[in-house]
Amino acid sequence: GRPLRVRPAHLNSTVQVTDIPAECGNRQLAEAFKAFGEVVRAVVFVDEKAHPTGKGIVEFKNKKNAVQAVNECEKRMFLLSKAPNPIRVEFSDMVDSSMGLPDSDVQKLRLKEAEEDK
């Protein structure tokens, strides 16, 4: 039979986008992802000199739209510019800065730092 792909369930409706072209801003990112559903916010990340990093997030109104965006972008190329470089979309593991760092993640962070120090 066909191999089964198992993915963890995601509770939020935010996707992480990578390989975003430098000429793409927040508005263009939001407009492009409206194809999958209502976009609450879209952010193209920039470095300390305000240069785009090629990464960003898109937050949808509901999880169903985020799932659709990830699935569709896995099936076929999704382009944001005339360049033939598709973006990559996956569920976001990022924690919203307004939420802070949950206590459950503190232990994971300490273990990761201890492994890196070895």
Side-chain angles (χ1 to χ4, degrees), residues 63-99:
K63 180 181 171 183
K64 181 179 88 172
N65 299 132
V67 170
Q68 182 182 358
V70 170
N71 290 340
E72 288 296 318
C73 292
E74 281 182 351
K75 289 180 195 173
R76 57 191 167 95
M77 291 193 328
F78 194 66
L79 305 173
L80 292 180
S81 69
K82 293 179 182 179
N85 303 327
I87 59 169
R88 291 184 295 151
V89 181
E90 56 191 32
F91 286 101
S92 177
D93 293 329
M94 297 174 54
V95 176
D96 192 331
S97 61
S98 65
M99 293 172 44

Side-chain angles (χ1 to χ4, degrees), residues 9-117:
H10 297 277
L11 301 176
N12 65 30
S13 58
T14 303
V15 295
Q16 183 173 346
V17 184
T18 55
D19 298 331
I20 300 172
E23 64 272 11
C24 182
N26 296 344
R27 185 176 298 142
Q28 184 180 354
L29 187 63
E31 287 296 322
F33 277 85
K34 282 184 181 179
F36 305 111
E38 186 176 339
V39 173
V40 175
R41 71 180 172 142
V43 179
V44 175
F45 299 143
V46 295
D47 63 18
E48 62 278 350
K49 294 182 180 180
H51 296 115
T53 63
K55 298 178 182 178
I57 59 166
V58 177
E59 182 181 345
F60 290 95
K61 185 173 182 179
N62 61 58
K63 180 181 171 183
K64 181 179 88 172
N65 299 132
V67 170
Q68 182 182 358
V70 170
N71 290 340
E72 288 296 318
C73 292
E74 281 182 351
K75 289 180 195 173
R76 57 191 167 95
M77 291 193 328
F78 194 66
L79 305 173
L80 292 180
S81 69
K82 293 179 182 179
N85 303 327
I87 59 169
R88 291 184 295 151
V89 181
E90 56 191 32
F91 286 101
S92 177
D93 293 329
M94 297 174 54
V95 176
D96 192 331
S97 61
S98 65
M99 293 172 44
L101 182 65
D103 290 339
S104 60
D105 290 346
V106 172
Q107 185 63 26
K108 292 178 194 174
L109 184 61
R110 288 182 183 151
L111 289 173
K112 185 177 179 180
E113 288 173 349
E115 286 177 14
E116 289 173 357
D117 289 341

